[in-house]
Amino acid sequence: MALHFTSEKRVDDGVLEREFTLGEIPGILWTPASASVPAPLILLGHPPLGLHKMYPRLVPRARACSAVGFATATIELPGSGDRPRWPAAEEARADLRRAMEAGEPVSDEIIDALILPLVDKAVPEWQAALDALLSLPEIGGPVGYSGGVISIGTRLAVVEPRISAAVLFAGSFVPRAMFEEARQVTIPLHVLLQWDDEGNDRQAALDLFDSFGSKEKTLHANMGGHTGVPQSAGDEAGRFLARHLK
């Protein structure tokens, strides 16, 4: 798939923001104001809420990475934003809403239907984006992955050898099949967990962390809900990536 830039502008701190399309997939690339050498790249994951909705939360992350010399990029997930509707995913989300509104436990069947097809579709798209981005003269290696649906990050860490380290956010449902994949992960990991995350199964997140096969893995847990990650935790995750990608 060919990457085509569709717009560009300078955001705060002189960071260059360029929107692009990769085939039919929209994305955004941020590069540091003064990159004298090809910059290491961090792929910014996000939940399937649409890039427009996530943009205010993505830009500060991109700026923080640019401040230490990293380029960052993100793409729209399948079935999200302006991409074509995905009936199976919408049906799975409706089943999830019904279970949660009824106060019922979320079944393995619902979690599998919600997450596994998304991982199967999204991961090859992230890999195609990586192919295209690494062909740009201003982007070098190594590559890190940060945030988003933890099952997508887990699969990428297993199948994509160009990713050297990952920051994973423990805030999404985890299918049982992902625990087996987690055992195959060997890259350094930094996992963020919000202890009081209303939509997250804390025990499943702890069990997943335990399953990761990485020799170097850190769990950074903080009190608070899903969007209450303290600035200090974000800073520590940034230092982790800088340590492994510089």
Side-chain angles (χ1 to χ4, degrees):
M1 284 190 281
L3 184 149
H4 297 288
F5 288 110
T6 56
S7 72
E8 71 171 63
K9 66 178 181 181
R10 293 280 175 185
V11 293
D12 295 344
D13 308 329
V15 176
L16 180 63
E17 175 184 292
R18 285 175 285 176
E19 295 185 357
F20 63 82
T21 56
L22 182 70
E24 301 298 312
I25 306 165
I28 309 173
L29 171 66
W30 293 272
T31 44
S34 55
S36 54
V37 294
L41 176 67
I42 297 172
L43 304 175
L44 295 183
H46 54 87
L49 301 174
L51 272 184
H52 292 304
K53 189 169 182 179
M54 291 306 303
Y55 180 82
R57 286 161 60 183
L58 288 164
V59 170
R61 290 167 61 193
R63 286 178 55 210
C65 291
S66 291
V68 290
F70 294 127
T72 49
T74 193
I75 57 173
E76 187 71 87
L77 290 173
S80 296
D82 296 328
R83 295 190 64 182
R85 295 297 92 200
W86 186 8
E90 294 185 351
E91 187 178 329
R93 285 188 202 123
D95 289 343
L96 173 65
R97 276 194 302 272
R98 276 193 291 272
M100 296 183 82
E101 286 165 5
E104 298 168 355
V106 180
S107 69
D108 288 346
E109 289 76 18
I110 291 176
I111 292 172
D112 287 357
L114 189 71
I115 303 294
L116 292 176
L118 178 64
V119 173
D120 289 344
K121 279 179 176 276
V123 165
E125 293 182 352
W126 275 112
Q127 292 183 288
L130 192 51
D131 291 341
L133 291 162
L134 287 175
S135 72
L136 299 172
E138 63 270 37
I139 306 295
V143 180
Y145 176 85
S146 177
V149 177
I150 197 166
S151 295
I152 291 177
T154 300
R155 172 73 60 80
L156 271 170
V158 173
V159 302
E160 182 44 75
R162 291 172 293 185
I163 293 178
S164 303
V167 173
L168 302 178
F169 294 0
S172 51
F173 292 105
V174 182
R176 291 191 184 278
M178 295 310 301
F179 289 84
E180 193 54 48
E181 292 197 33
R183 293 185 181 93
Q184 302 172 51
V185 176
T186 57
I187 62 171
L189 296 179
H190 185 96
V191 181
L192 292 173
L193 170 65
Q194 286 301 101
W195 204 250
D196 308 302
D197 190 336
E198 54 285 348
N200 187 40
D201 181 336
R202 184 199 302 160
Q203 192 57 53
L206 294 172
D207 292 344
L208 183 68
F209 179 79
D210 199 32
S211 298
F212 285 123
S214 304
K215 286 191 175 66
E216 182 188 336
K217 56 180 180 179
T218 301
L219 179 67
H220 197 123
N222 290 279
M223 306 306 288
H226 187 76
T227 58
V229 179
Q231 182 64 46
S232 59
D235 292 344
E236 186 57 41
R239 284 191 286 273
F240 164 84
L241 287 170
R243 203 160 60 242
H244 289 285
L245 302 182
K246 283 287 188 178

